Amino acid sequence: MALEEYTRKRKFGATPEPRGARTKRGRGDALRFVVQLHHARARHYDFRLEVDGVLRSWAVPKGPSFRVGEKRLAVEVEDHPMSYGNFEGEIPEGNYGAGHVAIFDHGVWIPEQDAAESVERGKIDFELRGERLLGRWKLVRTSDKSRKPQWLLLKRDDEHAGDFEADDLLGAPRARKAAKGQGMPESASRGSSRATVPARKPAAPKKPEGISITDRAALIGEALALEGATRRSGASVPFAPMLASVASSPPRGEDWLHEWKWDGYRLTAVVAAGKVHIASRNGLAWHARLPHLAEALQSLGVDAALDGELVALDRNGHSNFNALQRILKSGITGDLSYVLFDLTALGPADLREVKLIDRKGLLQKLLLGCETHLGYSEHIVGHGEAVFEAATKQGLEGILCKQVASPYAAGRSQAWRKVKAVETREFVIVGYTRPKGSRTGLGALLLAEPQGKSWKYVGRVGSGLSDAHLEALPGKLRAASKGPGVELPAHVPLKTRDVHWVVPETVVEVAFRGWGKEGLLRQASFLRVREDREADDTLAVARAIPQPSSPDRIVYPDAGITKQQVFEYYLSVADRLLEEIGGRPLSILRCPDGIAGPHFFQKHAGPGFGDSVKRIQLREKDGGRGEYFHFDDIEGLMNLVQMNALEFHPWGSRVGALEHPDRLVFDLDPDAAIEWRDIRTAAVELRDRLRLAGLESWPKLSGGKGIHVVVPLDPVAKWPAVRAFSEAFAKAMATEQPDRFVATASKVRRRGRIFIDWLRNGRGATSISSWSLRAREGAPVAVPMTWESIARVRSPSRYTLRDAAGLEVSGLMEKLIARRQHLPTLD
């Protein structure tokens, strides 16, 4: 490309970017590289390698990944001059690539073969010696015939690989300085040592008033004295958070307390032995991204397990989600706050069975006078309707209502409820009407949402648009050259010629009061332009949940159930299924031609899974490493359903605590001659025996031949201990009743007996998930039950695709599923 294209695209009198020219490399000089974080119209990383006196350049939208083999799209762009490797700053609006540029990393790169020849061949194997990017990498050109050549950037397997990516390193100092004589020129590192963008400093969180707590020992003594408190062995691993159910109105009475609903990211934090682990809802580590919060939590000076919300606060103390996203993308996170609303452990005290009101009282005392980035979430007992009304008047999203006496139980619960003031959603502008009366600029925005690969009209919004928006939006929106981007329904009182049609690329967030009978928005009110989102992102989400290919294909011939029905079933139970399997490595059973055709188990990531299915490198039994997969959102789930996944079998641990299982599963697998009532009786005996060991359990209909007895655990013990306990337990039952039970998988020894399958409890072993379909006649579903209800069930395949989604799980059952228990020690 040389530099002609670079020069053609830039107005050097209007941009601070260097003009530059091809440079000659001195004999013995190391080849240089630079990676810049570019906040242009679409945020991306610019990956640049010195080749023949210029920087060959690729735009990497998601940035480099350190996960071995994880492919990151790299779009080849014009060559840049070597002097561009020193550039940081703001490219003004109206110029090509307008936005902020910051150096993410720089250093030297070492190609395994000639650099220029490797680029032309389309395969570059190389080593990076930077401050953040280290080790062996690969760039491979694809066969895609796009206008700009498409490449894939991959990390190769070495000691620098890991389960993180470039974004995880933002906000942290670079790993080390480049060796003298091997890095970019000294001028390249002027200014900040991290990738930056300007950010307005929000107000610090409001601190609770009261005296400072200096005697931590006294506070721990108070914690241990609370009703329900027990002693614990430690808090060295993340814990699963308690989740709220949706409610239409606040509950009444003094049995409930009410908090603001913070608009941020849910995080849990564990402080243990001076170390801090901050984790997302699905167990992914965040402490590296938030070093100032890790330091603040460490300064508490006591081991603790806390729950709260990461927020960006405005001057009024309100959380601003847009600001939060901008700050996280910038990597400069030091102004973010952690608003805490629960305390599940303090020192040696396990507080999960303590009343919420007492846990919050202790939390408030712990936070008195502490570091300013830690805030306490205030509450009001009773008066739920008044609190909700106040939240609505202040323009807040809603409130959280919690039972005063509720214990802390991971998973969704009716003891915590969220009540939203209005529904909000993102839509794309496809047009606008002319202004009327005294209004200027525009009248109302026409909105659309994705439908397949195109757009569907959903209504208009005119309310909530400020004078500034009315003035600015017409100039921001590009006229559509091909006419209407959507079809207007016949009942809409608009004519196509009366609309200014625009390119569907601007995303806005709108509040509304539900949908009218014609399928259009009711009482819509404009909230904001989503500068951080693009229409392609919105459409991509819709494409991630497409209508299934071959929707009429028969999956269950005996029941006449189609792929479309399977697809709709998984959509209907997605929230419940994700609660159980989100963030867990998986095996899936795929049935490309339905259950009557060939089907196969798959535990390694495969082609076509898409970005919503996440990949992770795990140690195999033979000592090697394999690429496994997991997901934590509906896009990932439906992507696999689209690829004919019928059964979902998760691990007994989550990605954030992979070596610490959080449940035991005993699969009662009967001989064909065993009757159902005998299987139910055996399950109850197993429950009673577990109770003698101090463990509560719950039953799951497997959708196959038997019952799974599930024991929730604290993720503290490691796999070898869990496997040893489950083996000893199963063998003890088989020894005591050899005519009824067997603890080995032998088909011969199982005749007339029930195999207590304890092998589900080893590292890498899986078991069928609740709400998963089974590849068996009748389309049965594995469902969780209570011990009382299972006595009334006449078959392990009682619930099917046709009625499982309507099965309600009681609050008692939710609490039991979420219970955490320590594994007994073996004598």
Side-chain angles (χ1 to χ4, degrees), residues 269-510:
V270 173
V271 185
K275 295 183 179 179
V276 177
H277 187 101
I278 303 174
S280 68
R281 173 173 161 179
N282 292 311
L284 300 179
W286 272 60
H287 37 273
R289 299 182 69 179
L290 304 167
H292 73 295
L293 293 184
E295 183 178 352
L297 290 165
Q298 196 173 40
S299 71
L300 293 175
V302 62
D303 288 359
L306 307 108
D307 194 357
E309 195 93 357
L310 179 70
V311 296
L313 297 175
D314 61 21
R315 293 184 177 89
N316 298 317
H318 293 168
S319 51
N320 185 321
F321 189 73
N322 286 343
L324 173 64
Q325 288 187 312
R326 289 195 298 270
I327 291 170
L328 287 174
K329 285 185 177 181
S330 77
I332 306 303
T333 61
D335 288 324
L336 296 180
S337 300
Y338 189 24
V339 179
L340 295 157
F341 46 71
D342 216 324
L343 178 68
T344 64
L346 185 68
D350 187 332
L351 305 173
R352 288 171 296 180
E353 296 299 320
V354 171
K355 294 177 181 179
L356 171 63
I357 193 71
D358 293 336
R359 298 199 305 271
K360 290 204 68 177
L362 203 64
L363 172 63
Q364 186 174 23
K365 292 178 181 179
L366 177 66
L367 295 177
L368 289 174
C370 73
E371 211 275 354
T372 57
H373 290 291
L374 302 182
Y376 174 75
S377 183
E378 300 280 357
H379 65 264
I380 295 175
V381 176
H383 311 287
E385 292 180 352
V387 176
F388 181 65
E389 182 180 357
T392 303
K393 287 181 178 179
Q394 293 187 45
L396 302 181
E397 186 180 354
I399 63 174
L400 280 166
C401 312
K402 303 176 180 179
Q403 285 183 343
V404 167
S406 60
Y408 191 97
R412 202 165 301 283
S413 172
Q414 288 293 327
W416 287 15
R417 303 178 187 178
K418 54 186 173 183
V419 185
K420 288 190 175 183
V422 292
E423 184 175 359
T424 65
R425 194 176 295 185
E426 294 171 14
F427 300 103
V428 172
I429 301 174
V430 292
Y432 61 90
T433 60
R434 298 183 180 93
K436 294 181 180 180
S438 61
R439 196 162 193 167
T440 60
L442 57 82
L445 300 173
L446 274 67
L447 306 177
E449 66 179 1
Q451 184 179 58
K453 296 184 179 181
S454 59
W455 302 97
K456 173 189 174 184
Y457 177 73
V458 296
R460 289 179 285 176
V461 61
S463 174
L465 287 163
S466 67
D467 290 342
H469 285 122
L470 292 172
E471 181 179 351
L473 278 173
K476 179 182 178 66
L477 304 172
R478 292 192 299 146
S481 59
K482 298 181 180 179
V486 297
E487 181 180 350
L488 293 176
H491 58 78
V492 172
L494 277 176
K495 295 181 180 179
T496 300
R497 65 174 179 270
D498 295 332
V499 177
H500 291 276
W501 297 103
V502 303
V503 178
E505 60 186 0
T506 302
V507 180
V508 295
E509 187 173 0
V510 172

Side-chain angles (χ1 to χ4, degrees), residues 684-699:
V684 171
E685 291 183 29
L686 199 69
R687 175 202 67 186
D688 294 343
R689 183 64 179 263
L690 285 165
R691 281 179 176 171
L692 291 175
L695 296 172
E696 290 294 333
S697 60
W698 54 273

Side-chain angles (χ1 to χ4, degrees), residues 517-536:
K517 61 181 180 180
E518 301 89 359
L520 302 183
L521 299 172
R522 290 181 59 248
Q523 301 179 32
S525 179
F526 177 89
L527 292 179
R528 60 184 68 89
V529 176
R530 294 299 302 256
E531 301 286 358
D532 58 324
R533 296 294 299 274
E534 295 187 12
D536 287 346

